[in-house]
Structures are given as C-alpha cells and as structure tokens.
Amino acid sequence: MKLDVLYFAWLRERIGCARETVETEAGTVMALVEELRAREERYALAFSDLSALRVAIDQDLRDFDAPLTDAREVAFFPPMTGG
Amino acid sequence: MTRITIRVEQAPFDFGAECARFAEGGADTGAVVTFCGIVRDDTGTLESMEIEHYPGMTERALTKIAEEAARRWSLSEVLILHRYGPLRPGERIMMVATASAHRAEAFASADFLMDYLKSRAPFWKKETTRAGSDWVAAKASDEAALARW
C-alpha cells in the first residue's frame, strides 16, 4: 500500500523532509517505524527514542502499536506545545 | 446546542474586537470568560517564535476539544483562535472564549480548553534568540494537567 508519511518540528528537520510517499506492507505503526529506521542513518537517529515522539493516523492521535489498516496518512511529531 | 468556532490563522487578531463580538446577543448567555496567550520573553533575548502546525489535523483536534467541552458543560458558545507562523515577543498567539448561563461553567470550560489545547492540538513552537534556534520542549506538567479532568 501507498502511505503519505508526514514529519513535523525537529523530526522534520532531522529527516530533512516534511512529507513523502512510502510503499509499505507494514501492519502497524511500529512495523512502519522499523522499515524507516532501516532505510538510512538519519531515520534511525530521528526514531531512536519513541518516547519522545507521537503518531497520528489519518489525523487522529494513536499509539505506536496501532494497526495501519486502511490508513492513508501517518504523521510523526514530537509532543505538542500549543497555547 | 453549542455554537463552536475554530480559527487557525497566520494574521494577528484584534483581541478586543473578538471579545466584543463573542456571544453578542445570546439571550441565554450570562457569563463570558476569555483567555489570551502572548509570546513571553523570560530572558530578554527572544527574537522570534515560530509556530508550526499540522493543517487539517489542527482544526480537527481543536473541534474535538471544543465538542468535548460542550459535552461536559452547558455552553452557548465556544471560540478557539490560534495563530501560526513567525511571531514576536508581546504578540498574541491565541485566545479561547466560552459563554454560559453562569460563570462557573464558563471558567471551568475555558480552563479545560487550555489544558487540552496545550498537549493535544498539533502545534510546535521554535524559539530564536541571539544564541540560535531551538524547539520548545513539552512540559511533563502540561501532560499531568490533563489528569484533573
């Protein structure tokens, strides 16, 4: 399946891109993270500490063990600092 | 039925005008509470603050937070306005306003909106000082604040 993967804030800066399309068969967010980590050093570094990251599937906050069934857009970002 | 307005915009807003317009003419409104967040410069070295957000999810998350407030309290109107882009010290970042029949519900719901907006709406702040730029880290106390609701 094709997924739009988005990165925000320092994660976007470390990976060096804001959005990319990924061809993957990952069944969960965690499996997708493992695929990204295996790609290149900059991904491995950016995803080294998942406790410092949050994930949204199709614009809803989810956990890293969430399934990617029917997902179109997955976004990774640091904890939010609004207000 | 609560009237909910969510605005995510780059341009500055007129806080006084927004307050004056909010809940105007609502016969069931007896209390309005407003809050405005401003770019603070604790050390006197802040040059600018850049606010990044996730277009689409931001509006969706803010709507959900406002709807949750409307479920918990009897509110006639809710406004959440949040800016993004580059801001300078002293500039207004965001505001919330709540309207209810009585003050207790208006105060409590405004407090709730702020707690949730801080750690559940996809905004990130990057501060630039003379020494360089860095992302503002989320505070454990902001996450802990959600437990009281």
Side-chain angles (χ1 to χ4, degrees), chain B residues 100-145:
Chain B
S100 188
H102 305 286
R103 74 178 187 277
E105 301 211 83
F107 271 119
S109 57
D111 205 12
F112 170 90
L113 290 177
M114 286 310 302
D115 274 351
Y116 268 80
L117 194 149
K118 277 210 155 304
S119 42
R120 290 291 183 273
F123 290 102
W124 303 274
K125 294 177 178 143
K126 189 183 198 181
E127 291 182 341
T128 298
T129 65
R130 267 164 256 149
S133 295
D134 209 358
W135 293 94
V136 175
K139 293 194 208 83
S141 57
D142 286 341
E143 189 63 33

Short mmCIF file of all heavy atoms in Angstrom, two decimals, chain B residues 100-145:
data_model
loop_
_atom_site.label_atom_id
_atom_site.label_comp_id
_atom_site.label_asym_id
_atom_site.label_seq_id
_atom_site.Cartn_x
_atom_site.Cartn_y
_atom_site.Cartn_z
N SER B 100 -21.60 30.92 28.82
CA SER B 100 -22.54 30.04 29.51
C SER B 100 -23.56 30.89 30.25
O SER B 100 -23.47 32.12 30.28
CB SER B 100 -21.76 29.16 30.48
OG SER B 100 -22.62 28.18 31.03
N ALA B 101 -24.52 30.22 30.86
CA ALA B 101 -25.51 30.96 31.65
C ALA B 101 -24.87 31.53 32.90
O ALA B 101 -25.18 32.65 33.32
CB ALA B 101 -26.68 30.04 31.99
N HIS B 102 -23.96 30.75 33.51
CA HIS B 102 -23.35 31.16 34.77
C HIS B 102 -21.84 31.04 34.70
O HIS B 102 -21.30 30.25 33.94
CB HIS B 102 -23.89 30.30 35.92
CG HIS B 102 -25.38 30.33 36.00
ND1 HIS B 102 -26.07 31.41 36.48
CD2 HIS B 102 -26.31 29.42 35.62
CE1 HIS B 102 -27.38 31.18 36.41
NE2 HIS B 102 -27.55 29.97 35.88
N ARG B 103 -21.14 31.78 35.58
CA ARG B 103 -19.69 31.91 35.43
C ARG B 103 -18.90 30.62 35.68
O ARG B 103 -17.87 30.41 35.07
CB ARG B 103 -19.16 33.04 36.31
CG ARG B 103 -19.12 32.72 37.79
CD ARG B 103 -18.52 33.88 38.59
NE ARG B 103 -18.33 33.52 40.00
CZ ARG B 103 -19.29 33.58 40.91
NH1 ARG B 103 -20.51 33.97 40.57
NH2 ARG B 103 -19.05 33.24 42.16
N ALA B 104 -19.39 29.77 36.61
CA ALA B 104 -18.60 28.59 36.97
C ALA B 104 -18.34 27.71 35.73
O ALA B 104 -17.22 27.21 35.54
CB ALA B 104 -19.32 27.78 38.06
N GLU B 105 -19.34 27.54 34.90
CA GLU B 105 -19.18 26.69 33.72
C GLU B 105 -18.28 27.35 32.67
O GLU B 105 -17.53 26.67 31.97
CB GLU B 105 -20.55 26.36 33.12
CG GLU B 105 -21.43 25.64 34.12
CD GLU B 105 -22.40 24.69 33.46
OE1 GLU B 105 -22.00 23.56 33.16
OE2 GLU B 105 -23.55 25.11 33.25
N ALA B 106 -18.39 28.66 32.57
CA ALA B 106 -17.56 29.39 31.61
C ALA B 106 -16.08 29.33 32.02
O ALA B 106 -15.20 29.08 31.19
CB ALA B 106 -18.02 30.83 31.47
N PHE B 107 -15.81 29.51 33.32
CA PHE B 107 -14.42 29.43 33.81
C PHE B 107 -13.86 28.03 33.64
O PHE B 107 -12.75 27.84 33.12
CB PHE B 107 -14.35 29.81 35.31
CG PHE B 107 -14.16 31.28 35.56
CD1 PHE B 107 -15.11 32.00 36.28
CD2 PHE B 107 -13.03 31.94 35.12
CE1 PHE B 107 -14.95 33.36 36.52
CE2 PHE B 107 -12.85 33.30 35.36
CZ PHE B 107 -13.82 34.01 36.06
N ALA B 108 -14.60 27.02 34.12
CA ALA B 108 -14.10 25.65 34.08
C ALA B 108 -13.84 25.19 32.65
O ALA B 108 -12.81 24.58 32.36
CB ALA B 108 -15.10 24.71 34.77
N SER B 109 -14.74 25.51 31.74
CA SER B 109 -14.58 25.05 30.36
C SER B 109 -13.41 25.75 29.67
O SER B 109 -12.69 25.14 28.87
CB SER B 109 -15.87 25.22 29.57
OG SER B 109 -16.29 26.56 29.59
N ALA B 110 -13.17 27.02 29.99
CA ALA B 110 -12.03 27.74 29.40
C ALA B 110 -10.72 27.11 29.89
O ALA B 110 -9.77 26.93 29.12
CB ALA B 110 -12.10 29.22 29.74
N ASP B 111 -10.68 26.75 31.17
CA ASP B 111 -9.51 26.12 31.77
C ASP B 111 -9.26 24.75 31.10
O ASP B 111 -8.12 24.42 30.74
CB ASP B 111 -9.82 25.92 33.26
CG ASP B 111 -8.56 25.86 34.11
OD1 ASP B 111 -7.48 26.18 33.60
OD2 ASP B 111 -8.68 25.49 35.30
N PHE B 112 -10.32 24.00 30.92
CA PHE B 112 -10.26 22.70 30.24
C PHE B 112 -9.72 22.85 28.81
O PHE B 112 -8.83 22.11 28.38
CB PHE B 112 -11.67 22.09 30.23
CG PHE B 112 -11.82 20.87 29.37
CD1 PHE B 112 -11.61 19.60 29.88
CD2 PHE B 112 -12.22 20.99 28.03
CE1 PHE B 112 -11.76 18.47 29.08
CE2 PHE B 112 -12.37 19.87 27.23
CZ PHE B 112 -12.14 18.60 27.75
N LEU B 113 -10.26 23.80 28.08
CA LEU B 113 -9.82 24.02 26.69
C LEU B 113 -8.33 24.29 26.64
O LEU B 113 -7.61 23.74 25.79
CB LEU B 113 -10.56 25.21 26.06
CG LEU B 113 -12.05 25.06 25.75
CD1 LEU B 113 -12.59 26.38 25.20
CD2 LEU B 113 -12.29 23.93 24.75
N MET B 114 -7.85 25.13 27.56
CA MET B 114 -6.42 25.47 27.55
C MET B 114 -5.55 24.26 27.88
O MET B 114 -4.52 24.04 27.24
CB MET B 114 -6.14 26.61 28.54
CG MET B 114 -6.61 27.95 28.06
SD MET B 114 -6.04 28.32 26.38
CE MET B 114 -4.26 28.18 26.56
N ASP B 115 -5.95 23.47 28.87
CA ASP B 115 -5.17 22.28 29.23
C ASP B 115 -5.07 21.31 28.06
O ASP B 115 -4.00 20.77 27.78
CB ASP B 115 -5.81 21.56 30.43
CG ASP B 115 -5.33 22.14 31.76
OD1 ASP B 115 -4.42 22.98 31.75
OD2 ASP B 115 -5.90 21.77 32.80
N TYR B 116 -6.17 21.10 27.37
CA TYR B 116 -6.17 20.14 26.27
C TYR B 116 -5.45 20.68 25.04
O TYR B 116 -4.76 19.96 24.34
CB TYR B 116 -7.60 19.69 25.94
CG TYR B 116 -7.94 18.45 26.72
CD1 TYR B 116 -8.33 18.53 28.05
CD2 TYR B 116 -7.77 17.19 26.17
CE1 TYR B 116 -8.57 17.39 28.80
CE2 TYR B 116 -8.01 16.04 26.91
CZ TYR B 116 -8.41 16.14 28.21
OH TYR B 116 -8.62 15.01 28.96
N LEU B 117 -5.65 21.97 24.81
CA LEU B 117 -5.03 22.59 23.64
C LEU B 117 -3.50 22.54 23.73
O LEU B 117 -2.82 22.41 22.72
CB LEU B 117 -5.54 24.03 23.66
CG LEU B 117 -5.40 24.93 22.50
CD1 LEU B 117 -6.57 25.88 22.52
CD2 LEU B 117 -4.11 25.69 22.63
N LYS B 118 -2.97 22.63 24.95
CA LYS B 118 -1.51 22.65 25.13
C LYS B 118 -0.86 21.34 24.69
O LYS B 118 0.23 21.37 24.13
CB LYS B 118 -1.16 22.93 26.60
CG LYS B 118 -1.18 24.40 26.94
CD LYS B 118 -0.20 24.66 28.04
CE LYS B 118 0.35 26.04 28.13
NZ LYS B 118 1.00 26.67 27.09
N SER B 119 -1.49 20.21 24.98
CA SER B 119 -0.81 18.96 24.64
C SER B 119 -1.57 18.03 23.72
O SER B 119 -1.11 16.93 23.44
CB SER B 119 -0.37 18.22 25.91
OG SER B 119 -1.36 18.27 26.88
N ARG B 120 -2.74 18.46 23.19
CA ARG B 120 -3.49 17.60 22.29
C ARG B 120 -3.78 18.23 20.93
O ARG B 120 -4.41 17.62 20.08
CB ARG B 120 -4.82 17.17 22.93
CG ARG B 120 -4.66 16.19 24.09
CD ARG B 120 -4.18 14.83 23.61
NE ARG B 120 -4.09 13.88 24.70
CZ ARG B 120 -3.03 13.72 25.49
NH1 ARG B 120 -1.96 14.48 25.31
NH2 ARG B 120 -3.02 12.82 26.45
N ALA B 121 -3.33 19.45 20.73
CA ALA B 121 -3.51 20.08 19.42
C ALA B 121 -2.13 20.18 18.77
O ALA B 121 -1.15 20.56 19.43
CB ALA B 121 -4.14 21.46 19.57
N PRO B 122 -2.01 19.80 17.48
CA PRO B 122 -0.68 19.69 16.86
C PRO B 122 -0.04 21.03 16.49
O PRO B 122 -0.01 21.42 15.32
CB PRO B 122 -0.95 18.81 15.63
CG PRO B 122 -2.38 19.07 15.29
CD PRO B 122 -3.09 19.35 16.59
N PHE B 123 0.47 21.68 17.53
CA PHE B 123 1.27 22.91 17.35
C PHE B 123 2.64 22.66 17.96
O PHE B 123 2.76 21.96 18.97
CB PHE B 123 0.64 24.08 18.11
CG PHE B 123 -0.65 24.59 17.54
CD1 PHE B 123 -1.85 24.23 18.12
CD2 PHE B 123 -0.66 25.44 16.44
CE1 PHE B 123 -3.05 24.70 17.61
CE2 PHE B 123 -1.86 25.92 15.92
CZ PHE B 123 -3.05 25.55 16.51
N TRP B 124 3.66 23.26 17.37
CA TRP B 124 5.02 23.19 17.91
C TRP B 124 5.65 24.57 17.81
O TRP B 124 5.48 25.27 16.82
CB TRP B 124 5.87 22.18 17.13
CG TRP B 124 5.25 20.83 17.14
CD1 TRP B 124 5.40 19.87 18.10
CD2 TRP B 124 4.34 20.28 16.17
NE1 TRP B 124 4.65 18.78 17.79
CE2 TRP B 124 3.99 19.00 16.62
CE3 TRP B 124 3.78 20.76 14.98
CZ2 TRP B 124 3.10 18.18 15.92
CZ3 TRP B 124 2.90 19.95 14.29
CH2 TRP B 124 2.58 18.68 14.75
N LYS B 125 6.40 24.93 18.89
CA LYS B 125 7.00 26.26 18.95
C LYS B 125 8.52 26.17 18.83
O LYS B 125 9.14 25.35 19.50
CB LYS B 125 6.67 26.91 20.30
CG LYS B 125 5.21 27.20 20.50
CD LYS B 125 4.98 27.75 21.89
CE LYS B 125 3.52 28.09 22.08
NZ LYS B 125 3.09 27.77 23.45
N LYS B 126 9.05 27.05 18.01
CA LYS B 126 10.51 27.13 17.89
C LYS B 126 10.94 28.55 18.23
O LYS B 126 10.49 29.51 17.58
CB LYS B 126 10.93 26.79 16.46
CG LYS B 126 12.43 26.64 16.30
CD LYS B 126 12.78 26.37 14.86
CE LYS B 126 14.19 25.79 14.76
NZ LYS B 126 14.55 25.54 13.36
N GLU B 127 11.81 28.67 19.23
CA GLU B 127 12.25 30.00 19.67
C GLU B 127 13.61 30.34 19.06
O GLU B 127 14.51 29.50 19.03
CB GLU B 127 12.39 30.03 21.19
CG GLU B 127 11.06 29.95 21.91
CD GLU B 127 11.20 30.02 23.42
OE1 GLU B 127 12.31 29.76 23.94
OE2 GLU B 127 10.19 30.32 24.07
N THR B 128 13.73 31.57 18.60
CA THR B 128 15.02 32.06 18.12
C THR B 128 15.51 33.18 19.02
O THR B 128 14.80 34.18 19.22
CB THR B 128 14.90 32.57 16.66
OG1 THR B 128 14.50 31.48 15.83
CG2 THR B 128 16.23 33.11 16.16
N THR B 129 16.70 32.97 19.61
CA THR B 129 17.34 34.02 20.40
C THR B 129 18.65 34.38 19.69
O THR B 129 18.98 33.78 18.67
CB THR B 129 17.68 33.51 21.82
OG1 THR B 129 18.66 32.47 21.69
CG2 THR B 129 16.45 32.96 22.53
N ARG B 130 19.38 35.32 20.28
CA ARG B 130 20.67 35.69 19.68
C ARG B 130 21.60 34.48 19.62
O ARG B 130 22.48 34.38 18.77
CB ARG B 130 21.33 36.81 20.50
CG ARG B 130 21.00 38.19 19.97
CD ARG B 130 21.32 39.25 21.00
NE ARG B 130 20.10 39.75 21.62
CZ ARG B 130 20.01 40.19 22.87
NH1 ARG B 130 21.06 40.19 23.64
NH2 ARG B 130 18.88 40.65 23.32
N ALA B 131 21.38 33.53 20.55
CA ALA B 131 22.27 32.35 20.62
C ALA B 131 21.91 31.27 19.60
O ALA B 131 22.67 30.34 19.40
CB ALA B 131 22.20 31.76 22.03
N GLY B 132 20.74 31.39 18.97
CA GLY B 132 20.34 30.38 18.00
C GLY B 132 18.88 29.99 18.16
O GLY B 132 18.13 30.65 18.88
N SER B 133 18.49 28.90 17.46
CA SER B 133 17.08 28.48 17.46
C SER B 133 16.94 27.11 18.12
O SER B 133 17.79 26.25 17.95
CB SER B 133 16.57 28.37 16.03
OG SER B 133 16.55 29.64 15.43
N ASP B 134 15.83 26.95 18.83
CA ASP B 134 15.56 25.62 19.39
C ASP B 134 14.06 25.42 19.59
O ASP B 134 13.32 26.38 19.82
CB ASP B 134 16.30 25.43 20.71
CG ASP B 134 16.63 23.96 20.95
OD1 ASP B 134 16.25 23.10 20.12
OD2 ASP B 134 17.26 23.67 21.98
N TRP B 135 13.66 24.14 19.51
CA TRP B 135 12.25 23.81 19.71
C TRP B 135 11.92 23.82 21.19
O TRP B 135 12.70 23.34 22.01
CB TRP B 135 11.96 22.43 19.10
CG TRP B 135 12.08 22.45 17.62
CD1 TRP B 135 13.19 22.13 16.89
CD2 TRP B 135 11.09 22.87 16.68
NE1 TRP B 135 12.94 22.32 15.54
CE2 TRP B 135 11.65 22.77 15.39
CE3 TRP B 135 9.77 23.33 16.80
CZ2 TRP B 135 10.94 23.10 14.24
CZ3 TRP B 135 9.06 23.65 15.66
CH2 TRP B 135 9.65 23.54 14.39
N VAL B 136 10.76 24.34 21.52
CA VAL B 136 10.30 24.36 22.91
C VAL B 136 9.86 22.94 23.28
O VAL B 136 9.07 22.33 22.56
CB VAL B 136 9.11 25.34 23.08
CG1 VAL B 136 8.55 25.28 24.49
CG2 VAL B 136 9.55 26.77 22.73
N ALA B 137 10.42 22.42 24.38
CA ALA B 137 10.06 21.06 24.81
C ALA B 137 8.73 21.08 25.55
O ALA B 137 8.42 22.03 26.27
CB ALA B 137 11.16 20.51 25.71
N ALA B 138 7.96 20.01 25.36
CA ALA B 138 6.70 19.89 26.10
C ALA B 138 7.04 19.67 27.57
O ALA B 138 8.03 19.04 27.90
CB ALA B 138 5.90 18.71 25.55
N LYS B 139 6.20 20.21 28.45
CA LYS B 139 6.43 20.05 29.90
C LYS B 139 5.63 18.88 30.43
O LYS B 139 4.47 18.70 30.06
CB LYS B 139 6.00 21.32 30.64
CG LYS B 139 6.83 22.54 30.35
CD LYS B 139 6.51 23.61 31.39
CE LYS B 139 6.73 25.01 30.86
NZ LYS B 139 5.61 25.53 30.09
N ALA B 140 6.23 18.12 31.33
CA ALA B 140 5.52 17.00 31.96
C ALA B 140 4.30 17.53 32.70
O ALA B 140 3.26 16.88 32.78
CB ALA B 140 6.45 16.26 32.92
N SER B 141 4.41 18.76 33.23
CA SER B 141 3.28 19.34 33.99
C SER B 141 2.07 19.60 33.08
O SER B 141 0.93 19.57 33.54
CB SER B 141 3.71 20.63 34.67
OG SER B 141 4.21 21.56 33.72
N ASP B 142 2.33 19.86 31.79
CA ASP B 142 1.21 20.07 30.86
C ASP B 142 0.44 18.78 30.64
O ASP B 142 -0.79 18.77 30.57
CB ASP B 142 1.72 20.60 29.50
CG ASP B 142 2.15 22.05 29.59
OD1 ASP B 142 1.73 22.73 30.56
OD2 ASP B 142 2.91 22.49 28.72
N GLU B 143 1.17 17.68 30.51
CA GLU B 143 0.54 16.38 30.33
C GLU B 143 -0.20 15.99 31.62
O GLU B 143 -1.33 15.50 31.58
CB GLU B 143 1.62 15.35 29.99
CG GLU B 143 1.11 13.99 29.55
CD GLU B 143 0.30 14.02 28.26
OE1 GLU B 143 0.59 14.84 27.37
OE2 GLU B 143 -0.64 13.21 28.16
N ALA B 144 0.46 16.26 32.76
CA ALA B 144 -0.14 15.90 34.06
C ALA B 144 -1.42 16.69 34.31
O ALA B 144 -2.34 16.21 34.98
CB ALA B 144 0.87 16.15 35.17
N ALA B 145 -1.49 17.91 33.75
CA ALA B 145 -2.66 18.77 33.98
C ALA B 145 -3.94 18.13 33.43
O ALA B 145 -5.04 18.40 33.92
CB ALA B 145 -2.44 20.14 33.33
#
